[in-house]
């Protein structure tokens, strides 16, 4: 079986694009003196819009390169690592015949498939190249002293050492005249690069307002099982609608899941902190928990439930802005209402809004749903973890929470 696999590999290489490297003895002047280096570039380094990575690889000596190939070596996504062949995940970079490698001669310039929010995370790309170079060697006569256990004795021996491009012979060795020769060397060199994709969720083709909300709710629950008590959430909100509301309430309370026949379960401790600032206290119903997660045939309690709200008064204009710190990624949700006068010709105030202002407001809303109150405009952004604590400080969550009327 091993010989069959090796044969298939060699056959695939014969089908791939390879270069004819000239090597003319005895001095091999076509080859460089040093081992060629491999460069790998992935652009852009960070992808924030639906699109593709461009992957380029080449060596410092194209004429001494037999082949160059690149591959996608795996991704670290929000809640899992993916590799080539991971069920349910389509690798971003594939060879022309569906293989893992894209091979070229003497360089490779290729692109990934179009990525969207389902690919958010860091992606690693790998390049390999078979390169040739030349080295000059010579025979040396070496005379040195060695201790034989009772006295020093003179020892003479002959040894081949490299003389070009570097000189490796010891100082006690002398080159034997007319023994220099050139030797061809080859090696597979490699390089890796990491690129990042953080694409806002509403850019996915064919998506809808309700579908994005459901996807965010699913992600919060999936992420919470890994983040558990390290999850944090903060919201300025007039309302928090299902299914995101239910997912947030579940993370705030904590839960047991995947119980086996013995009653042994996985445990998701309550999120470490959830704070909601609002001027409509009725939205806090069912979202706030204090205490600990308890359960089991013999009751044990785990984690601290720390989900609280504050009424910061009716004078503050609030749109729904939710920030969730997850396991690897943070999530930002902005849900705002655009009045009908900006888009509905039947509204009596429609003609009173300047055309330029109306177009600017509507164009900024890529994912929406028209309701009786107006157009609900949604944006969901996924970022590397760390932005939520910064926004918490910038938006003065704690000072405003302290000034408001707190629940409970």
């Amino acid at each position: 079986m091993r010989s069959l696999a090796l044969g298939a590999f060699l056959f695939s290489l014969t089908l791939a694009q390879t270069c004819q490297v000239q090597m003319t003895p005895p001095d091999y002047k076509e080859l460089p003196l040093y081992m060629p280096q491999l460069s790998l570039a992935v652009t852009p380094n960070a992808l924030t819009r639906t699109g593709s990575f461009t992957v380029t690889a080449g060596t410092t000596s194209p004429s001494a390169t037999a082949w160059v190939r690149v591959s996608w070596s795996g991704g670290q996504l929000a809640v899992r690592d993916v590799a080539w062949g991971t069920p349910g995940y389509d690798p971003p970079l594939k060879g022309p015949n569906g293989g893992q490698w894209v091979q070229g001669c003497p360089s490779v310039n290729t692109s990934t498939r179009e990525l969207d929010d389902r690919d958010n995370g860091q992606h690693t790309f790998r390049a390999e190249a078979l390169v040739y170079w030349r080295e000059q060697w010579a025979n040396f006569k070496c005379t040195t002293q060695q201790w034989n256990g009772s006295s020093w004795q003179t020892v003479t021996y002959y040894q081949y050492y490299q003389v070009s491009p570097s000189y490796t012979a010891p100082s006690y060795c002398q080159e034997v005249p007319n023994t220099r020769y050139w030797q061809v060397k080859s090696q597979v060199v490699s390089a890796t690069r990491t690129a990042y994709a953080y694409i806002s969720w509403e850019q996915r083709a064919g998506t809808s307002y309700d579908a994005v909300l459901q996807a965010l709710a699913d992600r919060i629950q999936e992420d919470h099982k890994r983040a558990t008590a390290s999850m944090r959430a903060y919201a300025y909100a007039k309302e928090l609608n299902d299914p995101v509301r239910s997912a947030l309430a579940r993370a705030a309370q904590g839960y047991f899941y995947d119980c086996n026949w013995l009653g042994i379960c996985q445990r998701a401790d309550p999120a470490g902190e959830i704070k909601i600032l609002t001027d409509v206290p009725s939205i806090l119903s069912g979202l706030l928990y204090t205490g600990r997660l308890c359960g089991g045939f013999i009751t044990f309690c785990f984690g601290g439930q720390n989900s609280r709200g504050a009424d910061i008064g009716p004078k503050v204009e609030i749109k729904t802005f939710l920030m969730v710190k997850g396991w690897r990624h943070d999530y930002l949700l902005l849900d705002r209402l655009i009045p009908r006068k900006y888009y509905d010709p039947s509204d009596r105030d429609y003609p009173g809004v300047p055309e330029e202002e109306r177009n600017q407001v509507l164009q900024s809303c890529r994912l929406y749903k028209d309701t009786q109150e107006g157009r609900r405009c949604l944006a969901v952004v996924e970022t590397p973890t760390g932005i939520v604590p910064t926004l918490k400080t910038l938006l003065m969550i704690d000072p405003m929470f302290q000034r408001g009327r707190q629940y409970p």
Side-chain angles (χ1 to χ4, degrees), residues 102-370:
V102 178
Q103 184 165 314
C105 168
S107 62
V108 171
N109 191 338
T110 187
S111 296
T112 65
R113 61 171 171 79
E114 188 173 87
L115 306 183
D116 59 30
D117 61 274
R118 291 167 292 194
D119 302 294
N120 282 345
Q122 66 179 42
H123 296 269
T124 302
F125 296 87
R126 178 180 175 87
E128 292 184 354
L130 176 59
V131 295
Y132 293 88
W133 71 98
R134 58 178 174 151
E135 296 175 350
Q136 193 171 40
W137 294 65
N139 197 12
F140 283 80
K141 180 181 180 181
C142 304
T143 303
T144 186
Q145 299 290 320
Q146 290 186 359
W147 180 257
N148 64 3
S150 59
S151 62
W152 291 95
Q153 65 179 18
T154 301
V155 176
T156 300
Y157 65 92
Y158 289 87
Q159 178 72 48
Y160 283 94
Y161 290 103
Q162 185 179 327
V163 295
S164 177
S166 59
Y167 190 90
T168 62
S171 59
Y172 53 81
C173 297
Q174 292 185 337
E175 182 179 342
V176 178
N178 301 319
T179 61
R180 292 196 174 194
Y181 69 98
W182 288 96
Q183 185 176 22
V184 174
K185 307 288 283 187
S186 66
Q187 184 174 319
V188 175
V189 293
S190 63
T192 58
R193 289 290 181 272
T194 299
Y196 304 86
Y198 292 102
I199 302 164
S200 56
W201 292 26
E202 68 273 13
Q203 294 183 36
R204 190 194 307 178
T207 193
S208 67
Y209 179 98
D210 292 327
V212 169
L213 280 183
Q214 183 62 60
L216 178 60
D218 294 341
R219 176 64 66 81
I220 289 174
Q221 292 193 40
E222 190 178 358
D223 200 310
H224 177 242
K225 291 177 181 178
R226 293 161 178 81
T228 63
S230 68
M231 177 170 276
R232 303 285 191 274
Y234 308 98
Y236 284 90
K238 283 184 176 294
E239 57 186 344
L240 284 173
N241 294 323
D242 278 329
V244 172
R245 175 191 178 92
S246 297
L248 200 60
R250 188 167 167 80
Q253 188 176 16
Y255 49 91
F256 299 92
Y257 66 98
D258 289 348
C259 301
N260 62 21
W261 65 276
L262 292 174
I264 300 174
C265 307
Q266 298 289 329
R267 186 181 82 245
D269 287 346
E273 181 180 60
I274 294 180
K275 287 183 178 177
I276 301 170
L277 306 177
T278 185
D279 58 3
V280 186
S282 60
I283 78 161
L284 302 175
S285 176
L287 281 170
L288 309 182
Y289 296 90
T290 57
R292 298 171 69 80
L293 170 65
C294 300
F297 180 73
I298 301 175
T299 300
F300 290 95
C301 294
F302 308 91
Q305 295 173 334
N306 184 16
S307 175
R308 303 169 184 270
D311 177 5
I312 56 177
K315 295 182 179 180
V316 180
E317 177 64 27
I318 301 177
K319 301 176 177 64
T320 298
F321 183 33
L322 173 65
M323 303 168 285
V324 180
K325 175 188 175 296
W327 179 50
R328 286 176 173 170
H329 292 178
D330 292 349
Y331 311 94
L332 310 178
L333 176 145
L334 176 63
D335 192 350
R336 57 195 173 98
L337 181 68
I338 300 177
R340 283 190 172 274
K341 65 181 181 180
Y342 284 97
Y343 68 93
D344 188 355
S346 65
D347 190 279
R348 65 179 183 178
D349 294 327
Y350 179 80
V353 180
E355 186 71 22
E356 182 179 353
E357 178 184 343
R358 180 164 56 247
N359 290 337
Q360 185 177 1
V361 170
L362 294 178
Q363 288 173 6
S364 67
C365 182
R366 288 180 292 190
L367 185 64
Y368 61 87
K369 178 172 70 171
D370 290 331

